[in-house]
Amino acid sequence: MGMLEAKSGEFEQATGDTVEHGGKRAVGVWEILCWAFQRECVSLDLGEELTGLSSKINVDPIQKMVEIAALGCRVDGGGSSQSHHDADLVAATLAVLPEEMGGFRAATWVAELARAGSAPYWRACREVVPVDMKRNQHGFYAKVVDANQVEDCGWNLTYLSGKKRTSKRKADYCQCVIRPSDAEIGRMQRQYLAWYGILLQVRSALQITHLTAHVVTDRMPPRTPWKKAA
């Protein structure tokens, strides 16, 4: 499951008002995921590095000191503060995502989105673009082809009438496509729904987990925001 472009779709989160429950802060599942991976900088585990999808935020402080020492510098200080107990539980819950939902790779994808604070990109701003572009000394321009290549019959030649005679001129046209295509839009929406399903799974698990400072509510991002946008 690939990661979509980064901050490619800014998530319009309806956070609502924070309510205290017995001294605990009421949060939605996406809110607590973003808090855990952004503010507390938790990591799933060392396997996250092996996937090649890590944001490199949580670099081992010992590794940092070794690299500085290799440069001939004196290492002064180092270390990092321990992450919040609830943040560790959030990361542990996401890390054991069932294989039928994508397993650890999908968990890493969701963690990267939480670090960026962005939901998967789902907006489909369609536009007509040329199939091919060419470049000359004046810059880029759309490539044109002979209109006779259109389907079987092609386009008729253009007739230009002058003072003395009528001349024939080849008709050119620019091949265009509409982007994103229906298939691309469907893929983006399926990825969003997969992300939404993972949030449901994590929400259910966190609601029965002993969090010390938070209560996970039923609040969720929009399930199909493209319907509302339409």
Side-chain angles (χ1 to χ4, degrees):
M1 189 174 297
M3 178 179 172
L4 295 180
E5 15 353 33
K7 297 199 183 214
S8 48
E10 304 225 6
F11 174 52
E12 298 173 359
Q13 180 183 1
T15 56
D17 295 329
T18 299
V19 181
E20 300 293 334
H21 290 273
K24 296 183 179 182
R25 180 168 174 252
V27 294
V29 61
W30 181 236
E31 186 179 352
I32 198 171
L33 278 166
C34 292
W35 166 79
F37 286 97
Q38 287 180 20
R39 185 164 181 177
E40 295 299 315
C41 294
V42 293
S43 178
L44 296 181
D45 66 19
L46 293 178
E48 187 177 27
E49 296 291 334
L50 300 179
T51 64
L53 297 176
S54 174
S55 64
K56 306 298 182 183
I57 292 177
N58 300 304
V59 178
D60 186 355
I62 304 300
Q63 178 186 343
K64 286 184 179 180
M65 290 191 288
V66 171
E67 292 175 351
I68 295 173
L71 297 175
C73 305
R74 180 179 177 181
V75 179
D76 184 14
S80 60
S81 60
Q82 188 175 5
S83 56
H84 194 283
H85 172 265
D86 288 359
D88 290 335
L89 287 178
V90 169
T93 301
L94 182 60
V96 294
L97 197 66
E99 284 300 322
E100 59 268 22
M101 302 191 72
F104 188 80
R105 184 170 180 82
T108 305
W109 171 59
V110 173
E112 290 297 310
L113 290 172
R115 287 193 182 103
S118 297
Y121 186 64
W122 57 265
R123 289 181 176 84
C125 300
R126 286 186 155 183
E127 58 179 348
V128 179
V129 296
V131 171
D132 196 7
M133 299 288 293
K134 296 187 68 175
R135 182 180 183 180
N136 60 16
Q137 67 272 23
H138 303 295
F140 290 93
Y141 63 95
K143 182 180 179 180
V144 295
V145 296
D146 187 351
N148 282 320
Q149 299 176 9
V150 178
E151 298 179 352
D152 296 330
C153 59
W155 292 352
N156 295 326
L157 295 176
T158 301
Y159 291 89
L160 300 177
S161 299
K163 292 183 178 180
K164 296 183 178 180
R165 62 187 178 89
T166 300
S167 60
K168 296 180 181 180
R169 184 178 180 181
K170 182 180 68 173
D172 292 332
Y173 82 105
C174 171
Q175 292 177 304
C176 295
V177 292
I178 299 177
R179 298 274 173 80
S181 65
D182 290 341
E184 291 170 331
I185 293 174
R187 177 181 56 82
M188 290 189 295
Q189 292 178 354
R190 285 192 298 272
Q191 282 198 322
Y192 184 95
L193 290 174
W195 169 79
Y196 186 91
I198 291 172
L199 294 193
L200 285 176
Q201 174 76 16
V202 174
R203 185 190 72 177
S204 298
L206 291 178
Q207 286 179 336
I208 59 174
T209 300
H210 180 63
L211 301 176
T212 60
H214 299 84
V215 173
V216 177
T217 66
D218 291 337
R219 186 168 66 239
M220 288 286 292
R223 184 176 184 274
T224 52
W226 49 88
K227 292 184 178 180
K228 187 179 297 184

